[in-house]
Amino acid sequence: MNLNTEDNSPVEKPKEKVGELLIRHTSLTRAQLEEALEEQRVEGGLIGHILVKKNFINQHDLIKVVCLQIGIPYQADIKVEEIDANAVKDLSINYAKNHEILPCMETEFCVTVLMSDPFKFNVINDLSMIYKKEVKIVCTTSLKIQDAINRVYEKANRNIVDSIEDEEFEENLDLEGPIDILDATADEAPVIRFVNSIIFRAVKERASDIHIEPYDRETVYRFRINGVMTEVLRQPKKTHAAVSSRIKVMARLDIAEKRLPQDGRIKIKIAGKDIDIRLSTIPIQSGERIVMRILEKTNTVLRLENLGFRGKVLESLVELAGRKHGVLYVTGPTGHGKTTTLFACLDRINSPDKMIITVEDPVEYEIPGISQIQVNHKIDLTFAVALRSILRQNPDVVMVGETRDRETAEMAINASLTGHFVLSTLHTNDASSAPTRLIDMGVQPFLISSSLVGVLAQRLIRTLCSACKIRTHLSDFEKVMLDVNEVPDSATIFRPVGCGRCSQTGYSGRTVVSELLLINDEIRALIIQKADAATIKKAAIRAGMRTLRGDAMDKIYEGITSVEEIMRAVNAEETE
């Protein structure tokens, strides 16, 4: 794709430097340019960005001059009413805002796109693949594009919103088997296409949850991506009833019941992949609030090393997973990878000479060689009931998805005392709180001390985007917040910036921060004495336990994550 304007001269003239063009076309002075060039020689960076940072020029001037230099049209004023709203139908508003692009006109052979940065070649290539046409660039400022995006997408959504409101909802839809949402055609009902687009977008952006929240005048759609809630869409309140009914029909729930909470499941296919969605609805003042948890059905289990475990914690986990008896608990908040860690442990010991049975709600990973039971509360198949039956099968290893009550906890502990290795999850803030939590459930301390071999506490934190992170240092305020006196000389601390690769968030992917409590004789004695969590923690630290805070600080010093992310994901009270 040629972005340059035509040049009829027989020999191409060398392009004039940006600085010289800025002096000619803006109020920039020679002295200001020299000052910026000196800073560039010392610290590096682009001359245009330095000039903007020093307030010698504004962003508007820089874009205009860069376009003049490379021969791309520049448009200061955008007439939104003249933009074809159909041109954006194949592009999500989130992508458009993150990359500051707006398709404004589409013809048979090309699509014209407004951009704030003409050097985003990866975005230009994406657009060329999406539209399968030549892409022509017109530049303007960031502010103009963001305003135009909001107004054009609002206009584009108006037709579908009106269609959803006027449509008579079909209850008798053929929903046998998994739904392939990519098979929906333009002839499908607008509400079906709308719901499918929301689910497809969530899966594409690797969201773990979709939240649909009705308020007085509008419905807000939010995704949880890498553990952080992100608003993606707002729609008029009048569309919510049809959307809610469509989702409930997909989950085979009662669409007439709007006063009571309901739970269901949706099985769909996207690009050949099986996706399992757990649906939960609750009645709130403005309507039904809907949450959809997205689970990709896969046989791939991540290894402990790939999850972020290392050093002594990794070695100890591998050793614990090979035990013949005992109980290993993994603790942490919901959605922080406890089940993934348990299955990584099971994957290490899964072999033909071991019989492994799990009971889960729901079955998230389907692993050959492991017998897996799905909890079903409707027929009273609870964790405790399933565990009681599992033990009659004489397994070597048992995994209980969650320890919620005294009965389940006592059965798991008794199973370990009769020669089984048991893995389960527990909801506590840190590893040292697990014994006291079990005692609070009503389990006898001597049973806990006899069976418990280890407790792993973990959090998932976002990792910095390698493409845009920049070096920084700990400020005095951050040192106080993190209770740090000295920073190691080898530390390489980075902070997030945001780029096209990470959708302007500054983060890409997640890793684990953990602490592993190994049960020794001193801690067994403390458990029998019903010692509090703080006392157990002090004993564990004396025995060499690396706390959540310590592991988190290591990942800051190694440039894996940022101070802001640790403060967000690991509460100070949990890491003392």
Side-chain angles (χ1 to χ4, degrees):
M1 177 173 52
N2 182 18
L3 300 181
N4 295 323
T5 54
E6 292 185 6
D7 188 353
N8 297 323
S9 58
V11 179
E12 185 179 352
K13 296 179 181 179
K15 291 178 180 175
E16 199 169 356
K17 291 183 178 180
V18 170
E20 298 299 328
L21 286 170
L22 285 168
I23 288 176
R24 185 187 307 168
H25 295 283
T26 70
S27 59
L28 182 69
T29 66
R30 178 71 60 182
Q32 290 172 332
L33 177 60
E34 290 298 331
E35 182 182 334
L37 288 170
E38 180 61 30
E39 181 173 326
Q40 184 186 42
R41 281 190 287 271
V42 174
E43 299 184 5
L46 298 174
I47 187 64
H49 292 169
I50 295 172
L51 291 167
V52 172
K53 182 180 71 174
K54 287 180 166 293
N55 292 321
F56 291 159
I57 61 172
N58 57 43
Q59 190 73 20
H60 174 88
D61 291 331
L62 178 60
I63 293 172
K64 186 162 69 172
V65 166
V66 168
C67 289
L68 180 65
Q69 185 193 39
I70 63 177
I72 291 180
Y74 177 84
Q75 191 167 327
D77 296 319
I78 301 174
K79 296 182 179 179
V80 176
E81 62 276 5
E82 295 180 2
I83 294 178
D84 182 8
N86 291 324
V88 302
K89 66 180 183 299
D90 295 322
L91 203 67
S92 74
I93 186 172
N94 199 37
Y95 186 89
K97 284 187 172 182
N98 287 338
H99 297 289
E100 294 185 345
I101 57 171
L102 179 63
C104 57
M105 186 173 66
E106 186 177 3
T107 65
E108 185 178 356
F109 301 107
C110 76
V111 57
T112 302
V113 180
L114 290 167
M115 296 185 72
S116 63
D117 183 354
F119 296 105
K120 290 184 176 180
F121 299 116
N122 59 326
V123 176
I124 296 171
N125 290 334
D126 288 346
L127 293 171
S128 180
M129 293 179 64
I130 291 171
Y131 288 93
K132 302 189 186 320
K133 297 175 182 179
E134 180 188 0
V135 178
K136 291 187 176 180
I137 307 301
V138 176
C139 277
T140 189
T141 62
S142 258
L143 190 60
K144 294 282 187 182
I145 285 187
Q146 292 289 352
D147 178 62
I149 287 172
N150 291 328
R151 294 165 64 187
V152 170
Y153 274 87
E154 182 181 353
K155 184 167 63 173
N157 284 333
R158 197 170 297 142
N159 291 337
I160 190 170
V161 168
D162 291 340
S163 300
I164 291 173
E165 182 195 21
D166 296 337
E167 140 181 308
E168 291 185 6
F169 186 74
E170 294 272 345
E171 290 188 34
N172 300 320
L173 298 174
D174 182 14
L175 293 174
E176 292 300 323
I179 307 162
D180 192 339
I181 69 171
L182 295 185
D183 284 344
T185 65
D187 295 332
E188 294 275 21
V191 67
I192 295 176
R193 286 187 283 118
F194 179 76
V195 171
N196 287 353
S197 69
I198 291 293
I199 297 174
F200 176 73
R201 179 176 170 185
V203 173
K204 183 179 179 182
E205 297 184 13
R206 298 184 179 277
S208 60
D209 303 89
I210 303 171
H211 291 251
I212 304 176
E213 307 160 20
Y215 296 104
D216 288 341
R217 296 186 178 180
E218 59 187 359
T219 300
V220 177
Y221 293 76
R222 296 198 290 169
F223 293 166
R224 186 181 294 278
I225 302 174
N226 288 333
V228 178
M229 295 289 284
T230 304
E231 183 179 318
V232 295
L233 189 65
R234 286 177 179 257
Q235 290 293 309
K237 176 71 178 297
K238 61 187 179 183
T239 65
H240 183 69
V243 171
S244 172
S245 295
R246 167 60 185 171
I247 293 172
K248 288 164 73 174
V249 166
M250 292 173 72
R252 299 178 177 88
L253 299 181
D254 182 2
I255 67 172
E257 181 56 75
K258 302 180 186 295
R259 301 166 299 169
L260 295 174
Q262 295 189 69
D263 296 312
R265 301 182 73 172
I266 302 171
K267 294 182 178 180
I268 61 173
K269 278 184 178 291
I270 297 181
K273 293 182 180 180
D274 290 323
I275 306 294
D276 193 11
I277 297 176
R278 281 191 285 170
L279 176 67
S280 172
T281 71
I282 58 171
I284 61 175
Q285 188 174 6
S286 304
E288 284 186 289
R289 191 184 193 280
I290 298 171
V291 176
M292 293 187 279
R293 168 68 63 88
I294 301 171
L295 303 169
E296 184 174 335
K297 306 292 281 185
T298 175
N299 292 330
T300 303
V301 176
L302 293 174
R303 298 175 62 84
L304 287 169
E305 299 90 332
N306 297 337
L307 293 175
F309 296 105
R310 57 191 180 168
K312 186 178 178 181
V313 172
L314 176 60
E315 294 171 4
S316 299
L317 279 177
V318 172
E319 188 273 326
L320 288 174
R323 293 283 184 96
K324 299 297 183 183
H325 56 82
V327 181
L328 172 65
Y329 280 109
V330 179
T331 76
T334 301
H336 278 256
K338 299 187 297 295
T339 303
T340 303
T341 298
L342 287 180
F343 270 101
C345 292
L346 290 179
D347 187 57
R348 277 193 169 269
I349 59 177
N350 184 17
S351 60
D353 63 334
K354 279 191 172 65
M355 179 182 172
I356 304 174
I357 301 181
T358 73
V359 51
E360 307 165 59
D361 183 24
V363 174
E364 296 186 24
Y365 300 93
E366 296 179 3
I367 311 299
I370 297 179
S371 301
Q372 297 171 264
I373 299 172
Q374 168 74 53
V375 166
N376 189 339
H377 296 284
K378 292 181 180 178
I379 58 173
D380 200 31
L381 180 59
T382 62
F383 283 109
V385 171
L387 185 55
R388 186 179 298 111
S389 300
I390 284 173
L391 296 179
R392 300 192 191 108
Q393 299 280 318
N394 192 29
D396 297 300
V397 180
V398 177
M399 195 273 274
V400 182
E402 185 178 349
T403 299
R404 297 177 178 173
D405 50 44
R406 174 182 174 180
E407 184 181 7
T408 304
E410 287 186 340
M411 289 194 66
I413 288 172
N414 287 329
S416 72
L417 295 174
T418 55
H420 305 86
F421 183 57
V422 182
L423 303 98
S424 187
T425 68
L426 198 64
H427 286 288
T428 63
N429 287 334
D430 58 10
S432 307
S433 300
T436 56
R437 176 77 180 100
L438 292 169
I439 292 172
D440 290 342
M441 284 183 182
V443 182
Q444 292 297 323
F446 73 89
L447 290 176
I448 302 170
S449 65
S450 302
S451 60
L452 194 63
V453 295
V455 182
L456 175 73
Q458 67 178 56
R459 302 285 188 279
L460 288 180
I461 58 168
R462 294 180 294 172
T463 54
L464 288 164
C465 174
S466 58
C468 63
K469 64 181 182 181
I470 61 173
R471 288 287 294 269
T472 186
H473 62 276
L474 290 184
S475 66
D476 293 338
F477 174 75
E478 289 170 338
K479 288 179 181 178
V480 171
M481 293 298 295
L482 296 171
D483 193 21
V484 172
N485 296 322
E486 294 183 2
V487 177
D489 294 336
S490 59
T492 54
I493 303 171
F494 290 85
R495 66 175 177 84
V497 177
C499 65
R501 186 179 297 182
C502 61
S503 299
Q504 307 301 326
T505 62
Y507 298 93
S508 178
R510 290 199 285 180
T511 191
V512 71
V513 219
S514 63
E515 64 180 20
L516 179 59
L517 171 67
L518 298 173
I519 309 301
N520 57 24
D521 291 340
E522 181 184 2
I523 293 175
R524 286 192 184 95
L526 290 173
I527 292 173
I528 291 176
Q529 297 167 16
K530 296 186 179 180
D532 58 28
T535 304
I536 293 174
K537 187 167 193 173
K538 289 176 182 177
I541 292 173
R542 287 196 300 270
M545 182 181 80
R546 186 70 169 161
T547 64
L548 280 169
R549 170 181 288 177
D551 193 24
M553 291 308 304
D554 288 344
K555 287 183 166 59
I556 290 176
Y557 293 151
E558 293 171 20
I560 295 172
T561 191
S562 68
V563 175
E564 296 89 341
E565 176 63 9
I566 292 301
M567 296 303 296
R568 181 197 68 83
V570 183
N571 188 284
E573 293 181 0
E574 298 169 2
T575 55
E576 290 179 353

